[in-house]
Amino acid sequence: MKKRVSCRAIIIENDKVFVIFRRKVKDNAVYEYYALPGGGKEENETLEETVIREIKEEFSIDIKILGYLGKDEKDNTITHFFHCERINGEFKLGGPELKRNNPNNYYEITCVDIKDIYNINTYYPHIIEKAYKREYEKRWYKCLLMKL
């Protein structure tokens, strides 16, 4: 079985990281967490192209990649992480997230102070910390050229 490949961006401005606050209501239970923006790689797309496209769709901004932070591989998925900076635009929810946004499946762009990343319900706080400290993988450029 082929693994789903996705890319996530860590965007930090003024010691705050931009994330998507998520609230899902299912079977009378409420799940709330903070997600890093990004999504799935399309065929014949590089990892760099994926993260740039996904952030444009979700956050309505243009970004520049500052460094590659590594990957997380599970049974069915491979997630790549990039430290990025906004180069143009204002943060505004867009793409499929905007279309699916409703009280039971809620998306909101928000920012969290770096000092609080280990105190919120989010995946990968250690990756956010790596971005803040600019601890990039030494061979990140090779990853950007990969076509999986």
Side-chain angles (χ1 to χ4, degrees):
M1 179 170 73
K2 190 173 180 179
K3 294 185 179 193
R4 180 181 188 268
V5 176
S6 65
C7 296
R8 302 273 167 200
I10 292 89
I11 303 166
I12 300 170
E13 293 182 5
N14 301 316
D15 293 339
K16 296 182 184 307
V17 62
F18 285 85
V19 292
I20 298 178
F21 172 71
R22 293 281 286 120
R23 181 183 305 115
K24 293 182 184 181
V25 179
K26 186 175 180 181
D27 301 327
N28 294 324
V30 178
Y31 305 94
E32 294 183 342
Y33 59 95
Y34 297 83
L36 293 172
K41 181 180 170 301
E42 295 179 355
E43 190 173 334
N44 295 320
E45 191 175 50
T46 66
L47 298 174
E48 178 183 40
E49 291 166 342
T50 299
V51 74
I52 290 169
R53 175 185 51 77
E54 283 288 339
I55 300 312
K56 182 69 170 178
E57 287 176 7
E58 290 181 18
F59 277 12
S60 306
I61 63 170
D62 297 311
I63 59 169
K64 174 174 81 172
I65 294 174
L66 301 175
Y68 179 69
L69 298 162
K71 67 181 178 179
D72 179 55
E73 191 164 352
K74 299 202 178 347
D75 290 342
N76 300 321
T77 62
I78 302 172
T79 305
H80 296 272
F81 300 93
F82 295 89
H83 183 203
C84 304
E85 74 176 353
R86 170 174 49 160
I87 56 173
N88 188 37
E90 296 299 321
F91 289 95
K92 180 180 167 190
L93 188 66
E97 289 74 15
L98 179 61
K99 291 177 184 167
R100 294 190 303 247
N101 198 14
N102 66 64
N104 291 326
N105 189 33
Y106 182 72
Y107 298 80
E108 179 184 350
I109 297 173
T110 189
C111 52
V112 175
D113 198 298
I114 287 294
K115 69 180 187 312
D116 295 329
I117 60 172
Y118 286 98
N119 300 324
I120 63 169
N121 186 15
T122 188
Y123 295 110
Y124 311 113
H126 62 290
I127 299 289
I128 297 169
E129 184 177 19
K130 277 181 71 173
Y132 183 70
K133 293 178 177 179
R134 296 180 180 258
E135 296 174 349
Y136 307 137
E137 297 289 321
K138 296 201 185 318
R139 295 186 182 188
W140 72 279
Y141 60 90
K142 284 187 178 180
C143 192
L144 297 178
L145 302 174
M146 286 177 20
K147 294 217 181 201
L148 301 175

